[in-house]
Amino acid sequence: MKRQDVLLEPSISGVPVDPEQGGRKMVEIGFGNGEFLTHLAGLNPDTMVYGLEISMTCVGKAVKRAVREDLGNVRIICGDARFLLRECFSDESLERIYMSFPCPWPKERHARRRVTHRGFSDVVASVLRIGGCFELATDEKWYADEVASILDGHPSLSLISFDVNKRREITTKYERKWLEQGKDIYLLVFEKLGNFTVDRIVDGRCDDMHVAVKSDELDMAVLKDEKLGISEGEDGAHWTLERIYSDSRDSWLIQAVTSDDGYEQKFYVRVVLRENGALVKVDGVCSPYLTPAVRRALDAVAGSIRRS
């Protein structure tokens, strides 16, 4: 096993991840140091186990674990799990989803990050197969009650167990810590009972996306004078074009930040002069997902150098 075998970059090859991989699939959301993830993979050698984690530090630790233990059925993706679960997995593709001790996000401004947000439960109901389960562990009683009430009310999910201090075959570092401190652990399991689907927003590959501007339409003054600064929003898709860097007389880099309904990506747009005009594309050093906001950022750059 090598690092590149474990760490996936599906934004380069397109989604869903590992489309050629048949058989059973499971996901752990927010795997921390990777202990639960790798133990789960070891217990289920016939199942591909995916880990979704936003922390690069945690990703690095988990990748090292998987490589050290030679686990060929572990795949890890770095990023926001709410986005990755929806965009990287097709309907009814997962046997089980695990989430251990997530942050309850008690402040109202963080409501969209909660497991209880309808957008998240819709995605869980979409990607689980019929009979598949979502398992959540928490040490907060109020949070467990809220999750039980709201997810059980979803038309395609049903709460099938709500246990207190049930010992699992696989435990996490935090779980052992809370048990040693005498805290109660609440374990909830929801089963998918009916069909459900959600819309996906990633459409194609970024390395296939480009916008051409013809030479007779071209006006590069806005780039040469470093005057470009655009920030707009539409239908939950927002983009900002910031600093401009010129690495030659015929090539420019523009720093871009996009947001699709809260999912943020940072990358560079490259503008390259050609004999018949200019080409606007995502710079190869970056690999954002091709979302509506990314498309609009490229269109905005092209529009800024196109003579009106």
Side-chain angles (χ1 to χ4, degrees):
M1 286 295 296
K2 298 179 180 179
R3 177 184 175 87
Q4 58 266 33
D5 298 326
V6 178
L7 187 59
L8 292 180
E9 293 187 67
S11 57
I12 294 176
S13 58
V15 291
V17 295
D18 281 8
E20 76 282 359
Q21 290 285 354
R24 289 160 48 91
K25 298 182 179 70
M26 297 180 183
V27 164
E28 183 185 6
I29 296 173
F31 51 72
N33 64 10
E35 181 181 13
F36 187 97
L37 181 75
T38 53
H39 195 165
L40 186 66
L43 289 177
N44 298 275
D46 62 336
T47 300
M48 188 61 70
V49 181
Y50 296 88
L52 311 181
E53 174 62 64
I54 201 166
S55 166
M56 277 302 300
T57 299
C58 292
V59 165
K61 291 179 180 179
V63 169
K64 286 181 180 179
R65 276 182 182 272
V67 172
R68 183 171 65 245
E69 297 177 25
D70 197 27
L71 293 170
N73 61 329
V74 172
R75 298 291 184 271
I76 290 172
I77 315 173
C78 184
D80 187 326
R82 296 169 298 161
F83 177 87
L84 295 176
L85 191 64
R86 182 186 70 207
E87 299 298 330
C88 295
F89 298 93
S90 56
D91 287 354
E92 299 190 21
S93 61
L94 299 177
E95 294 281 333
R96 207 168 183 95
I97 301 170
Y98 295 88
M99 201 169 187
S100 298
F101 306 98
C103 176
W105 299 105
K107 295 182 180 179
E108 190 57 35
R109 69 174 183 269
H110 296 144
R112 293 185 60 82
R113 295 180 175 271
R114 297 173 190 160
V115 170
T116 52
H117 187 267
R118 179 58 188 262
F120 179 82
S121 56
D122 281 352
V123 173
V124 168
S126 170
V127 298
L128 281 174
R129 67 167 180 81
I130 301 293
C133 292
F134 169 56
E135 180 177 307
L136 180 139
T138 180
D139 60 309
E140 297 283 357
K141 175 67 163 57
W142 69 267
Y143 184 59
D145 289 339
E146 181 177 296
V147 172
S149 174
I150 293 179
L151 267 67
D152 191 47
H154 192 282
S156 293
L157 298 173
S158 177
L159 179 65
I160 60 173
S161 65
F162 187 135
D163 295 305
V164 182
N165 295 331
K166 178 182 180 180
R167 298 303 297 265
R168 299 185 289 179
E169 185 172 3
I170 313 169
T171 58
T172 70
K173 179 179 67 174
Y174 285 112
E175 188 170 0
R176 292 191 297 271
K177 178 181 177 181
W178 302 146
L179 288 171
E180 290 171 1
Q181 293 179 1
K183 297 186 70 173
D184 289 327
I185 302 298
Y186 305 92
L187 187 65
L188 294 73
V189 180
F190 301 86
E191 183 179 355
K192 178 176 175 177
L193 302 180
N195 292 324
F196 199 84
T197 190
V198 293
D199 293 331
R200 272 72 176 184
I201 65 171
V202 173
D203 181 24
R205 299 157 46 120
C206 267
D207 52 3
D208 291 334
M209 172 65 182
H210 63 268
V211 182
V213 180
K214 296 179 181 178
S215 56
D216 59 353
E217 302 174 335
L218 201 58
D219 181 2
M220 301 297 290
V222 67
L223 295 185
K224 295 177 180 177
D225 296 339
E226 298 187 1
K227 294 179 180 179
L228 187 60
I230 304 171
S231 180
E232 301 185 25
E234 181 181 331
D235 301 331
H238 302 267
W239 62 95
T240 301
L241 304 174
E242 300 179 338
R243 298 181 180 180
I244 302 174
Y245 306 90
S246 178
D247 55 4
S248 70
R249 292 184 177 182
D250 57 4
S251 181
W252 290 261
L253 285 176
I254 302 163
Q255 190 177 36
V257 181
T258 63
S259 176
D260 292 88
D261 201 21
Y263 181 69
E264 186 176 285
Q265 302 188 87
K266 298 180 180 180
F267 57 96
Y268 286 95
V269 178
R270 181 173 288 277
V271 179
V272 182
L273 284 181
R274 304 188 303 177
E275 184 176 344
N276 59 347
L279 193 68
V280 179
K281 60 182 180 178
V282 174
D283 185 63
V285 75
C286 311
S287 55
Y289 293 87
L290 187 52
T291 63
V294 172
R295 284 185 177 274
R296 290 170 188 167
L298 292 176
D299 287 339
V301 173
S304 71
I305 61 174
R306 184 179 285 118
R307 185 180 297 108
S308 58

